């Protein structure tokens, strides 16, 4: 026959187990899977491409109703897509005014380029230590494609490959936090590049020379020299953006 103490502890243990199982069941029941909304994803991606490729001008007003009609969907997925793109910095939503493609201020451009310099100077050495051969191979491949686009005077292809070349450092750096941080601003940089190329062409001859130097220095492990070139290259890009902003190249069309 169990002692009083054993009986007490037995009942107490069973009571604790019952309460614990009850809490666990409640917790499990509250975890519901949400199926991916492929329609929202499709609208988001198409709008993102339109902004990045300069189909939509920086600062351009976006009507949910017109976008919904264009995509042949209801306004709900359009509204959700705009909210997602706001998180990526590609859309600005102003209460009582509506949604707009982002349009940077001079301070935005300064901070964005400062961020790029810091990120690329940190990511490139990680690539050199962890994945030098594959990084160098991908950089070289991007450069070859840039050379071809330059020879064919395909400005859009050139700036797209420009984006791809800088992305290589983050694809191979092996640090998810760097990759996530860069992805949050890479769309803005790409959109600025494409708007600049489309409306206020920069000197791509100089740009190509700098990219040749970037690839050469990384391939030869001249990391100090690579850092200097990246600072000059991104600094020149910063000035091109500021000049274009000042002369109205990024102005949205008047409705």
């Amino acid at each position: 026959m169990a002692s009083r103490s054993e009986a007490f502890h037995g009942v107490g243990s069973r009571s604790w187990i019952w309460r614990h199982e009850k809490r666990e069941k409640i917790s499990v029941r509250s975890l519901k899977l949400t199926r991916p909304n492929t329609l929202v994803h499709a609208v988001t991606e198409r709008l993102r491409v339109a902004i990045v490729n300069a189909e939509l001008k920086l600062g351009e007003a976006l009507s949910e109703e017109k976008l919904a009609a264009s995509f042949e969907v209801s306004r709900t997925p359009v509204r959700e897509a705009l909210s997602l793109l706001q998180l990526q910095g590609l859309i600005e939503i102003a209460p009582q005014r509506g949604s707009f493609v982002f349009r940077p201020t001079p301070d935005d451009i300064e901070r964005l380029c400062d961020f790029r310099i810091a990120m690329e100077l940190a990511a490139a050495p990680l690539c050199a230590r962890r994945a030098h051969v594959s990084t160098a191979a991908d950089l070289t491949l991007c450069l070859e494609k840039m050379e071809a686009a330059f020879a064919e005077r395909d400005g859009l292809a050139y700036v797209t490959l420009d984006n791809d070349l800088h992305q290589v450092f983050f694809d191979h750096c092996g640090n998810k936090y760097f990759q996530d941080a860069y992805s949050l601003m890479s769309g803005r940089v790409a959109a600025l590049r494409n708007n600049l190329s489309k409306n206020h062409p920069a000197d791509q001859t100089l740009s190509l020379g700098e990219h040749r130097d970037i690839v050469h220095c990384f391939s030869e492990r001249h990391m100090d020299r690579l850092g200097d070139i990246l600072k000059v290259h991104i600094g020149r890009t910063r000035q091109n953006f500021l000049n274009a902003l000042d002369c109205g190249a990024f102005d949205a069309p008047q409705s």
Side-chain angles (χ1 to χ4, degrees):
M1 182 175 179
S3 67
R4 287 184 179 180
S5 176
E6 289 172 334
F8 174 78
H9 286 300
V11 171
S13 296
R14 287 194 297 275
S15 175
W16 181 87
I17 292 170
W18 180 81
R19 291 196 305 273
H20 180 72
E21 287 179 344
K22 184 178 180 182
R23 283 199 304 271
E24 191 175 59
K25 287 178 181 178
I26 291 172
S27 176
V28 169
R29 281 200 301 269
S30 68
L31 297 176
K32 296 180 180 179
L33 289 175
T34 301
R35 293 182 182 277
N37 191 331
T38 54
L39 188 58
V40 171
H41 174 77
V43 173
T44 302
E45 185 58 24
R46 182 63 189 93
L47 276 174
R48 185 183 187 280
V49 169
I51 293 169
V52 168
N53 287 351
E55 296 173 55
L56 296 171
K57 288 277 288 183
L58 301 180
E60 184 170 346
L62 301 176
S63 162
E64 288 183 10
E65 185 176 355
K66 290 180 180 179
L67 288 172
S70 177
F71 293 135
E72 298 182 343
V73 299
S74 70
R75 293 175 64 175
T76 299
V78 171
R79 188 177 302 115
E80 292 183 28
L82 291 173
S83 295
L84 290 172
L85 291 170
Q86 182 184 30
L87 296 177
Q88 298 179 29
L90 296 175
I91 291 290
E92 297 172 356
I93 299 177
Q96 310 303 321
R97 293 184 58 225
S99 301
F100 302 82
V101 178
F102 85 99
R103 186 182 188 279
T105 65
D107 283 347
D108 289 334
I109 290 174
E110 292 281 359
R111 292 165 185 157
L112 191 63
C113 291
D114 286 344
F115 181 78
R116 276 193 65 201
I117 290 172
M119 291 294 293
E120 294 194 32
L121 289 181
L126 292 178
C127 294
R129 291 201 302 270
R130 298 174 178 175
H132 181 262
V133 173
S134 58
T135 305
D138 282 355
L139 288 172
T140 300
L141 180 60
C142 275
L143 180 61
E144 289 172 352
K145 292 179 179 179
M146 288 177 76
E147 299 267 13
F150 178 80
E152 295 169 7
R153 299 184 179 181
D154 187 342
L156 180 58
Y158 181 89
V159 294
T160 299
L161 290 162
D162 187 340
N163 296 325
D164 292 346
L165 188 144
H166 289 274
Q167 179 66 44
V168 167
F169 289 124
F170 298 93
D171 290 342
H172 291 278
C173 72
N175 188 311
K176 182 179 183 298
Y177 298 106
F178 278 26
Q179 292 163 348
D180 289 347
Y182 187 75
S183 70
L184 288 175
M185 49 74 69
S186 59
R188 291 169 67 90
V189 173
L192 285 169
R193 279 201 190 103
N194 287 334
N195 275 274
L196 185 66
S197 175
K198 184 175 181 179
N199 302 297
H200 190 76
D203 184 355
Q204 290 187 347
T205 302
L206 180 57
S207 166
L208 185 59
E210 289 171 349
H211 285 98
R212 287 171 181 152
D213 289 343
I214 289 170
V215 174
H216 172 76
C217 287
F218 182 86
S219 299
E220 298 299 319
R221 294 183 183 271
H222 299 159
M223 302 309 292
D224 289 342
R225 175 63 180 150
L226 174 63
D228 292 339
I229 293 170
L230 284 171
K231 289 176 186 177
V232 171
H233 174 66
I234 297 173
R236 188 180 59 78
T237 302
R238 178 204 321 253
Q239 194 56 54
N240 286 339
F241 289 159
L242 290 172
N243 290 343
L245 190 66
D246 186 55
C247 75
F250 293 153
D251 288 351
Q254 298 299 314
S255 58

